[in-house]
Amino acid sequence: MLRRFFSQAWLYFKGQQAIFSFEEFICFQTAIPLLTLIFYCVLASYSFNTANLTRWVVGNSFLLCVNTCIFSLGTTFTGERYYGRLRSIIAAPVHKLAVVLQRGFFPMLVSVATVLIGFLAGSLIFGVDFTGINLGLFLLITFIAMFAAAGFGLLLSIFGLVTDGIHFVLNLSTYVLMIFCGANFPIAQLPKAAQFISRIIPLTRSIEAANMLFEGVHMPELIRLVLGEALLGTANYLIGFLVIRVVERIAIQRATVDVF
Amino acid sequence: MKKLRVIWDTLKLQMKNSFVRPMFRFCLIANPIVNTVLIYEMFKNSGQENFTTYVILGAGLMGLWACICFSSAGDINRERYSGTLSLIFATPADFSTIIFGKILGNTILSLATLALSFLTAKILYNAPFQIASPGYLLLSLLATVVCFITISTVIAYLLTLSRKTQLYMNCIEIPIILACGFVFPVEILPAWVRPISYALSPTWAIKLMRMSIAGINNPAQYFTTFGILAGLTAIYVLLSSLLYQVIDRQVRIKATLEVS
């Protein structure tokens, strides 16, 4: 059971990346996200007129996961339909939660690596001192953030079962994360209603927790943030699973698994 | 006259084709709106007097550039995918004329991003925005359109030879926004990056637009910048013409247009 889970997860991940050579994979997963991080940090240094870019390096490092967690995972079902596998997946006597989790596993690991590389490179470029922080806690926060972001990506991927505009949905969701997660400006600047959105999307709590490592740890608050993020991630997976069941039933009844 | 008709018909068809694609609609409508919100929030407490120029121009041009990356650059691949690339390549109407019509159509349609960015800043934030030299701005806008058409042509020709267009069009978006200083002056970039910025024509187009909005006190400075932009644009035109000849030759010898 466990072996099948990992072999399926690896096969799916390999299939998604097969088109890229190693250099292109590195370019897509590291170079472009890093340039994005540099862009937002330079913009922050100009707009906030500051040389201390710690908050932006941390926040935008976490946002680097969108390439994998949102775009790669978000196109899961659209891709399956395109390659003609969707019918087999729906009809297979396998638990759909396992199918959903398989797709999230390796992208989550890649995202963790991307975030750490982004954080290290961003720290070197913009002179962020991370020697004083608890690296174990930082790694834990990163893992939980990526777990939650991967869950969000999978939840979004379900839109691919009902619309041909999945890229619209994914791009818009990426901007929602960029605006509302507090990576580029304090969420306190937003109106109260908009701050509610910040609370129901992934990364907000993780970014707040990671920033806390630099500004002084208040343990009960840190635990609250990390647990909140973990709960949000779990909720995303569960909602994703339930919505798949509903969409699946409708698609089977209408015989429209392969069409929108 | 016949060429003009080909350009006109291609332009109309391209506008219709582009607008029905959800991704293009995202770049055209949603991208400038969300970018305006994000950049405005980043500049809101900057204390700079003229920051709305950076917000409106920056967000509008980011949307315009996204439209170019995900449409003008990707159209070759779309034609290849639809099986029509070889047909438009071999047609007596001339491939370069058709590509020009497509890019012109996309660029004209994409100018809406500037208007949308302005409207978003005005409606959501009541942002003050005054154009000190409207005549110069009109001239700058015209120069910007020509500049973006030429750079799009070079990119479209380069991507004709590759079938990994999707990867490359994702790779060119952020580096150009960063290097050309869409949302901040290029002078804040490190000294070693600036030669790259100055070799890219959009850098000068943006400078012209900013100067026109702020007001032209020194026409000599404006026309020097205009001259540099005109010189670079001429080099790009020459480059695209050379590229077309090389690609045309390679495609006919190798006969791999559809599989590149």
Side-chain angles (χ1 to χ4, degrees):
Chain A
M1 175 84 176
L2 207 62
R3 202 173 147 188
R4 188 191 294 160
F5 176 88
F6 284 111
S7 70
Q8 283 294 312
W10 175 242
L11 262 177
Y12 175 75
F13 178 68
K14 219 167 93 170
Q16 268 213 324
Q17 309 301 332
I19 189 172
F20 302 130
S21 66
F22 180 70
E23 295 81 12
E24 287 165 345
F25 176 77
I26 294 296
C27 170
F28 200 56
Q29 298 291 351
T30 313
I32 294 303
L34 197 59
L35 277 171
T36 311
L37 179 143
I38 292 171
F39 168 69
Y40 282 104
C41 288
V42 173
L43 174 58
S45 78
Y46 183 66
S47 61
F48 286 86
N49 197 18
T50 178
N52 181 7
L53 292 167
T54 307
R55 288 189 71 89
W56 290 276
V57 170
V58 171
N60 283 291
S61 297
F62 277 86
L63 276 177
L64 296 187
C65 70
V66 296
N67 249 7
T68 310
C69 288
I70 304 294
F71 289 106
S72 297
L73 279 178
T75 48
T76 301
F77 290 106
T78 318
E80 298 294 3
R81 178 187 288 120
Y82 181 77
Y83 294 115
R85 283 204 337 151
L86 194 56
R87 232 185 305 188
S88 313
I89 289 172
I90 298 285
V94 61
H95 206 288
K96 297 299 175 291
L97 184 60
V99 175
V100 169
L101 290 174
Q102 279 162 12
R103 272 137 190 79
F105 185 73
F106 281 104
M108 188 185 84
L109 294 185
V110 171
S111 298
V112 170
T114 309
V115 170
L116 292 178
I117 292 169
F119 178 67
L120 282 173
S123 300
L124 288 173
I125 296 168
F126 296 103
V128 173
D129 180 18
F130 58 91
T131 49
I133 68 160
N134 185 330
L135 284 175
L137 267 180
F138 184 79
L139 206 63
L140 176 74
I141 293 167
T142 309
F143 262 103
I144 288 172
M146 295 311 109
F147 168 74
F152 185 59
L154 283 168
L155 185 60
L156 292 175
S157 74
I158 297 161
F159 285 97
L161 289 169
V162 288
T163 174
D164 64 342
I166 188 69
H167 286 289
F168 186 99
V169 174
L170 299 180
N171 277 287
L172 196 62
S173 307
T174 304
Y175 273 99
V176 167
L177 284 181
M178 283 166 75
I179 292 172
F180 294 102
C181 75
N184 289 306
F185 58 87
I187 49 175
Q189 261 180 234
L190 293 165
K192 286 274 177 246
Q195 286 183 33
F196 172 73
I197 300 173
S198 301
R199 294 285 150 207
I200 56 164
I201 56 168
L203 300 183
T204 309
R205 290 174 181 81
S206 301
I207 290 173
E208 209 176 320
N211 278 323
M212 201 185 272
L213 296 180
F214 287 88
E215 291 157 5
V217 179
H218 179 235
M219 214 28 125
E221 179 64 7
L222 189 92
I223 293 169
R224 188 188 68 79
L225 290 169
V226 172
L227 279 180
E229 189 80 322
L231 269 174
L232 185 75
T234 311
N236 276 332
Y237 283 98
L238 286 177
I239 295 169
F241 170 65
L242 291 173
V243 177
I244 286 176
R245 289 292 292 266
V246 173
V247 173
E248 177 190 357
R249 197 168 302 158
I250 294 169
I252 289 171
Q253 278 170 358
R254 293 182 184 169
T256 55
V257 172
D258 286 339
V259 289
F260 295 110
Chain B
M1 195 64 196
K2 204 174 163 188
K3 272 201 171 190
L4 277 179
R5 194 174 167 171
V6 171
I7 292 171
W8 177 243
D9 286 341
T10 313
L11 178 149
K12 280 194 298 180
L13 186 65
Q14 181 64 27
M15 282 183 168
K16 285 180 195 165
N17 276 340
S18 290
F19 200 74
V20 292
R21 285 190 301 110
M23 185 59 199
F24 189 85
R25 285 204 300 272
F26 172 83
C27 294
L28 188 71
I29 302 164
N31 189 312
I33 296 173
V34 287
N35 266 328
T36 306
V37 173
L38 178 63
I39 301 169
Y40 193 94
E41 290 292 343
M42 288 184 79
F43 270 99
K44 198 156 83 174
N45 299 319
S46 67
Q48 294 186 34
E49 276 179 23
N50 62 344
F51 76 86
T52 41
T53 308
Y54 284 98
V55 175
I56 293 169
L57 266 188
L61 289 171
M62 278 168 82
L64 176 67
W65 181 240
C67 287
I68 286 171
C69 289
F70 294 101
S71 190
S72 298
D75 277 333
I76 299 275
N77 206 38
R78 256 181 292 280
E79 296 288 352
R80 181 179 285 132
Y81 182 74
S82 314
T84 47
L85 184 58
S86 52
L87 294 178
I88 62 164
F89 198 89
T91 182
D94 190 30
F95 183 64
S96 58
T97 311
I98 294 172
I99 290 294
F100 177 73
K102 278 171 166 290
I103 290 171
L104 186 65
N106 274 334
T107 314
I108 291 172
L109 193 58
S110 308
L111 286 175
T113 56
L114 287 165
L116 274 171
S117 177
F118 169 74
L119 286 174
T120 309
K122 207 71 195 161
I123 294 167
L124 290 184
Y125 300 104
N126 196 21
F129 185 71
Q130 280 195 328
I131 301 164
S133 309
Y136 280 105
L137 183 68
L138 207 65
L139 183 64
S140 308
L141 194 64
L142 198 69
T144 305
V145 171
V146 175
C147 150
F148 276 106
I149 287 172
T150 50
I151 199 166
S152 309
T153 312
V154 174
I155 294 167
Y157 282 158
L158 279 173
L159 295 183
T160 307
L161 292 174
S162 172
R163 67 188 173 103
K164 288 177 182 169
T165 318
Q166 206 171 357
L167 171 76
Y168 298 130
M169 64 193 195
N170 276 292
C171 290
I172 54 173
E173 192 192 2
I174 278 289
I176 295 287
I177 292 173
L178 173 67
C180 295
F182 278 31
V183 269
F184 44 73
V186 285
E187 285 71 28
I188 68 162
L189 292 171
W192 63 270
V193 180
R194 273 177 253 158
I196 303 170
S197 305
Y198 295 146
L200 294 165
S201 57
T203 306
W204 302 97
I206 296 155
K207 270 182 190 285
L208 281 183
M209 291 184 81
R210 276 195 201 125
M211 283 160 83
S212 311
I213 291 167
I216 306 293
N217 300 319
N218 183 359
Q221 193 191 1
Y222 177 87
F223 284 108
T224 308
T225 312
F226 193 93
I228 296 170
L229 176 63
L232 278 175
T233 305
I235 294 171
Y236 285 12
V237 170
L238 201 70
L239 188 69
S240 64
S241 160
L242 282 172
L243 262 173
Y244 178 63
Q245 284 173 28
V246 172
I247 289 163
D248 184 60
R249 200 176 145 75
Q250 272 202 6
V251 160
R252 286 173 203 280
I253 292 170
K254 292 183 180 171
T256 54
L257 189 63
E258 283 161 322
V259 287
S260 286

